[in-house]
Amino acid sequence: LIGFWYEKKVAADAGKKAFIVNRVGDFGFGLGIMLIWVTFGTLNYVEVFAKADASVSTNVYLAIALLLFMGACGKSAQLPLFTWLPDAMECPTPVSALIHAATMVTAGVYLLYRTAFLFEKTPDVLAAVGWIGAFTALLAATLACVQTDIKRVLAYSTVSQLGYMMAAIGAGFAGAGFLHLLTHGVFKALLFLAAGAVIHAVGTNDIFAMGGLARRMPQTFTVFLIGTLSLAGIPFFAGFFSKEEILGAAWAGGLAVPFGMLVLAAFLTAFYMFRVVFITFLGGPAAAPGHGEAHAHDAPVIMTLPLWILAALAMGIGIWFSVSHPEAGFAPPGWLTPLAIAVAVAGIALAWLVYGLRAISADRLFESFAWIGEAAVERFWLDDLFALVYRRVILRVSRATGWVDRYIVDGILNALSAWTLTAGDRLRRIQTGQAQDYVYGIALGVLLLMVWMRWPR
């Protein structure tokens, strides 16, 4: 699906990249499954849970947890295996909404949620999951701040939110991560489908080639704003309670530094999402409008109806949480809610000052953080690092060991093939087509059989 438009080289390359990166994670995942089978004799969750006791070595639990997390890093796009997900935005937008936001990329988080009882046997691995999740959340949020492709902004946002879920699991409160998995699936699918409606209307993904769409696409603007408020963590919207619970989980789990990274990521989340809102919907017409932007209008009902359903769910879930106040598995500090709200409002305010009022120059803001901004534009050189490893290590090793395939594996198979062909050529000569030869053959066979039967034993 990522390479659906296979005639586009970037789409085909993105599909191959997703395949290769996920195979790296799946290599560890496969080994983890094998180790579970060897250790417990089953892959059933309930049976493994019943047999997971002190009789199993801590080192075995350590290996299982690390291998499973390796698979989760690939599927749920965690550092360092998240580079495939932004490139996967070459796929059709409904695929981005339903697979790369709501279902497939949450598989790794769900895996860790279901196997949390194994990770609890190895506190060090659990802490590492929390740290990697928090760092991924902050790194991806930083990358989202410099993107100009509306779908790539949402892609990096997805990576960041998956990091939040991992951080909650690493803090020892897997339920908080699972709750955010559910709420995020709703409002992120809404954002992707709304972005698809925008792209459908203006014919471009570049947010700076858009502008003033709120007047021409009021329905799309409304639902996109609902999704943005949910993602930013504003009260009465779906993402507020689940994100606050993750922050509380990190604090209660003793992950003070990851907690700080998650708070900063929450600020950046509100900033980069409202950056998109102000540029795309509330700003003036673009200097270089995209194809058909002058005639942009809301999509037909077949596209807008799913948007309104998801928007209603995003608001309904947020209101229900606000009224019911579900109990968390920990006691959050009293200052957490004001902090979460203040951070989100601060991010929105900064985006408004920079891209709404334009009281602060975006270029000057970028220059103030040039050391991090330039690195973010280059994706922190992770793709370059992987390309270097591929060229300098993997290809060289494959060339050096290629003779094994060419001369040993192929040599053995070619020899067996030649022997088979030779034997077949010689055996077929006994088929002369003359009846008397077959009679002689049968008689000889009967004679040999009689001799064998009468032979003294």
Side-chain angles (χ1 to χ4, degrees):
L1 289 171
I2 294 171
F4 179 79
W5 284 302
Y6 59 89
E7 294 182 353
K8 292 172 57 179
K9 186 177 184 302
V10 288
D13 289 345
K16 289 185 288 186
K17 183 176 182 179
F19 175 81
I20 293 171
V21 174
N22 274 278
R23 293 298 74 74
V24 174
D26 287 348
F27 174 74
F29 181 44
L31 292 178
I33 291 176
M34 295 176 194
L35 188 53
I36 290 174
W37 176 265
V38 170
T39 304
F40 301 105
T42 179
L43 296 177
N44 183 282
Y45 282 113
V46 177
E47 295 176 9
V48 172
F49 181 81
K51 295 179 180 180
D53 52 31
S55 63
V56 179
S57 169
T58 302
N59 291 332
V60 173
Y61 284 124
L62 179 69
I64 290 174
L66 287 174
L67 291 170
L68 292 182
F69 183 55
M70 185 175 174
C73 283
K75 277 291 181 291
S76 289
Q78 295 297 285
L79 191 73
L81 301 180
F82 69 82
T83 56
W84 69 270
L85 185 54
D87 288 359
M89 294 304 104
E90 294 297 333
C91 67
T93 304
V95 177
S96 302
L98 302 178
I99 295 181
H100 299 139
T103 55
M104 171 194 159
V105 293
T106 58
V109 176
Y110 184 71
L111 169 68
L112 266 61
Y113 171 74
R114 291 298 304 273
T115 57
F117 61 91
L118 292 175
F119 283 80
E120 290 170 358
K121 306 289 185 181
T122 55
D124 292 339
V125 176
L126 208 57
V129 171
W131 276 82
I132 292 175
F135 192 71
T136 301
L138 179 57
L139 188 71
T142 305
L143 288 165
C145 291
V146 299
Q147 301 302 311
T148 59
D149 184 317
I150 189 170
K151 286 183 65 178
R152 282 183 181 268
V153 174
L154 298 177
Y156 280 114
S157 172
T158 299
V159 175
S160 181
Q161 298 306 304
L162 291 168
Y164 268 90
M165 302 171 202
M166 289 292 189
I169 295 173
F173 299 97
F178 185 71
L179 175 63
H180 196 56
L181 180 153
L182 296 177
T183 60
H184 173 263
V186 173
F187 60 74
K188 186 53 69 67
L190 168 61
L191 286 169
F192 266 116
L193 291 177
V198 172
I199 296 168
H200 172 76
V202 300
T204 180
N205 290 30
D206 188 352
I207 59 175
F208 288 103
M210 305 173 189
L213 294 180
R215 296 184 298 274
R216 294 192 284 267
M217 305 178 66
Q219 292 190 64
T220 306
F221 167 65
T222 302
V223 296
F224 193 91
L225 183 61
I226 291 172
T228 299
L229 292 169
S230 299
L231 179 55
I234 299 300
F236 302 105
F237 291 90
F240 171 71
F241 183 83
S242 58
K243 184 177 286 188
E244 181 188 5
E245 187 164 343
I246 289 178
L247 293 175
W251 182 262
L255 302 178
V257 177
F259 171 81
M261 289 191 285
L262 292 174
V263 170
L264 181 54
F267 168 79
L268 293 176
T269 300
F271 171 75
Y272 67 68
M273 283 308 302
F274 274 88
R275 168 179 175 261
V276 173
V277 170
F278 285 120
I279 293 173
T280 303
F281 292 99
L282 301 178
H291 171 70
E293 183 179 346
H295 304 287
H297 55 81
D298 281 314
V301 67
I302 194 172
M303 294 175 66
T304 56
L305 180 60
L307 297 178
W308 282 110
I309 293 174
L310 290 170
L313 284 172
M315 292 192 67
I317 292 171
I319 294 172
W320 182 79
F321 280 145
S322 301
V323 173
S324 62
H325 298 289
E327 289 189 10
F330 51 87
W335 47 262
L336 184 61
T337 298
L339 175 66
I341 296 174
V343 166
V345 172
I348 296 172
L350 180 60
W352 178 57
L353 290 172
V354 177
Y355 299 102
L357 290 180
R358 301 189 185 276
I360 301 175
S361 170
D363 293 335
R364 181 170 296 180
L365 181 65
F366 183 85
E367 290 172 2
S368 301
F369 297 93
W371 59 277
I372 191 73
E374 293 174 1
V377 170
E378 297 296 332
R379 300 192 192 188
F380 293 100
W381 298 282
L382 281 173
D383 286 299
D384 296 329
L385 175 62
F386 291 157
L388 182 66
V389 171
Y390 175 75
R391 289 194 300 266
R392 298 292 178 86
V393 179
I394 297 177
L395 284 183
R396 288 187 178 183
V397 170
S398 64
R399 291 191 185 103
T401 58
W403 62 272
V404 175
D405 181 65
R406 288 192 299 272
Y407 299 110
I408 296 181
V409 177
D410 284 355
I412 293 173
L413 292 176
N414 290 336
L416 291 174
S417 174
W419 293 342
T420 302
L421 290 173
T422 301
D425 181 65
R426 291 180 179 178
L427 284 173
R428 70 179 181 176
R429 295 176 184 177
I430 66 175
Q431 299 291 337
T432 63
Q434 299 181 8
Q436 61 268 30
D437 290 342
Y438 301 150
V439 171
Y440 295 150
I442 292 172
L444 179 61
V446 170
L447 178 63
L448 291 175
L449 182 62
M450 293 175 63
V451 170
W452 178 77
M453 294 176 62
R454 305 287 295 181
W455 193 265
R457 293 177 174 80

